[in-house]
Amino acid sequence: MTKEGLEKYLADFTRNRDVFKNLQLDDPAGQSIETFRRIQDEVKERVVNLIKSLN
């Protein structure tokens, strides 16, 4: 879904903020558990940093 497609689901105050980012993460499908955990940790870190930046 594109940024424009998502905007219709957002509250008004969020529509004007630049919070959409292409995370460009590796796909863990078919990878080892270590790769899955690395990507999971990367997602968590990015979400935490995004939340901090919005405050």
Side-chain angles (χ1 to χ4, degrees):
M1 186 174 288
T2 65
K3 175 182 176 181
E4 291 75 22
L6 289 171
E7 285 179 345
K8 66 182 175 183
Y9 298 106
L10 299 174
D12 289 337
F13 73 92
T14 60
R15 288 190 184 127
N16 296 326
R17 298 183 86 162
D18 187 24
V19 297
F20 295 96
K21 297 184 185 283
N22 183 348
L23 298 180
Q24 298 179 341
L25 296 166
D26 295 334
D27 185 353
Q31 302 295 321
S32 67
I33 190 67
E34 291 82 14
T35 299
F36 176 85
R37 289 181 179 144
R38 178 185 57 79
I39 295 168
Q40 180 181 6
D41 291 343
E42 198 173 328
V43 170
K44 179 181 177 182
E45 180 181 346
R46 290 179 187 201
V47 169
V48 167
N49 289 335
L50 174 62
I51 292 169
K52 286 178 182 178
S53 75
L54 295 175
N55 291 328

